[in-house]
Amino acid sequence: MHILIVEDEKQLGKLLKRVLTEERHVVDVADEGYEGLNLALSDSYDLVILDRMLPNMDGLEICRQMRQSKIKSVVLMLTARGSVEDRVSGLTSGADDYLVKPFAMSELLARVQALLRRRDRETEGNNILQVGNLTLDLVRHEVQREGKLIELTAKEFALLEYLMRHPGQVLTRSQITDQVWRYDLDAISNVVDIYIHYLRDKIDHGFARPLLKTVRGIGYKLEAS
Ligand code: CA
């Protein structure tokens, strides 16, 4: 994901950038309001982490202007103050969530994850992903191909969901491991290949055109041609 951090405390900005980069996000940092607003208005960010008190233009104003310009990036507001009024004004300016300083990095990461996940669900509209004649229903947790219901385990479903969110894109084994087996430290090294094999058996076996393709030496992709 592409993340913008607008934070004038340079040490904190650097730390956030490092932590989020380790999570494989692509991160830009601005340390004052005007630059932050300009970057945010480029509309190239999935998430904007916005400090409330900033030189030149504060976080509330940046957030308001983003929403006026119909920028849909998710906004997580950071603040040193945590009164109810502050929280309310942050949210009414169009922020999606609010985190009071000082916070633990683990809490920030959990919020970021939750916000991005929520956004993924919302942008899905009807909650159905489709590649060719394969559909995945996020709400019913159902997978069908040519109208036939396909039974998947939870891991197979998560793997397929990830592939279907990036149709036609080659995903490396390490990207897949990171996304699907994130916190599962027992994941064995060839776990991706094993699950791809299971999944292929279920979604492609018996159908004329395979959707799940191996890109030799790189990884896998799902596409409908
Ligand atoms: Ca500040």
Side-chain angles (χ1 to χ4, degrees):
M1 296 290 173
H2 205 177
I3 299 180
L4 172 65
I5 299 166
V6 190
E7 169 59 75
D8 59 316
E9 285 170 52
K10 293 218 165 58
Q11 287 299 101
L12 180 58
K14 260 191 211 160
L15 177 63
L16 289 172
K17 177 171 180 164
R18 203 184 69 213
V19 169
L20 290 165
T21 304
E22 279 168 7
E23 295 288 309
R24 291 171 184 266
H25 296 296
V26 178
V27 182
D28 293 326
V29 182
D31 63 3
E32 55 86 24
Y34 292 152
E35 188 194 2
L37 178 67
N38 278 333
L39 287 169
L41 291 181
S42 71
D43 200 14
S44 50
Y45 299 96
D46 300 292
L47 172 75
V48 179
I49 298 177
L50 205 46
D51 188 26
R52 186 168 161 155
M53 301 288 280
L54 291 163
N56 301 327
M57 180 183 286
D58 72 15
L60 289 179
E61 186 54 30
I62 293 175
C63 192
R64 261 186 226 112
Q65 295 207 21
M66 282 172 67
R67 296 317 186 208
Q68 265 166 26
S69 307
K70 308 274 179 242
I71 303 293
K72 295 250 165 53
S73 316
V74 175
V75 173
L76 174 60
M77 189 86 75
L78 304 180
T79 183
R81 302 177 298 176
S83 73
V84 175
E85 298 79 54
D86 284 340
R87 221 165 292 192
V88 168
S89 61
L91 295 174
T92 53
S93 73
D96 297 278
D97 202 0
Y98 203 87
L99 196 54
V100 177
K101 292 178 181 176
F103 49 81
M105 280 301 145
S106 56
E107 173 159 27
L108 177 106
L109 287 176
R111 297 284 186 98
V112 166
Q113 286 281 343
L115 286 167
L116 291 175
R117 221 177 297 130
R118 193 171 91 193
R119 189 206 56 153
D120 279 353
R121 300 265 144 131
E122 281 167 4
T123 53
E124 232 42 79
N126 61 6
N127 292 301
I128 293 177
L129 304 178
Q130 181 160 16
V131 174
N133 51 17
L134 180 71
T135 58
L136 181 148
D137 187 322
L138 293 160
V139 172
R140 291 160 161 264
H141 238 254
E142 267 178 18
V143 174
Q144 296 193 12
R145 189 161 180 194
E146 288 176 10
K148 271 181 243 162
L149 207 56
I150 297 172
E151 300 274 349
L152 298 181
T153 64
K155 271 292 176 231
E156 290 163 356
F157 188 93
L159 172 59
L160 182 61
E161 178 183 341
Y162 180 52
L163 290 163
M164 288 185 82
R165 285 190 187 278
H166 303 86
Q169 190 183 327
V170 183
L171 301 168
T172 66
R173 287 179 182 77
S174 68
Q175 281 175 316
I176 297 172
T177 312
D178 281 357
Q179 288 296 319
V180 182
W181 278 270
R182 281 192 94 78
Y183 298 114
D184 187 356
L185 300 175
D186 297 331
I188 46 171
S189 64
N190 61 340
V191 69
V192 173
D193 303 306
I194 294 171
Y195 273 82
I196 288 281
H197 176 78
Y198 293 155
L199 196 55
R200 187 170 268 153
D201 225 34
K202 293 185 177 179
I203 64 168
D204 277 342
H205 187 78
F207 292 94
R209 287 167 180 276
L211 298 173
L212 188 45
K213 288 155 196 171
T214 303
V215 181
R216 231 166 253 293
I218 305 177
Y220 299 98
K221 67 175 169 179
L222 192 72
E223 74 181 353
S225 56

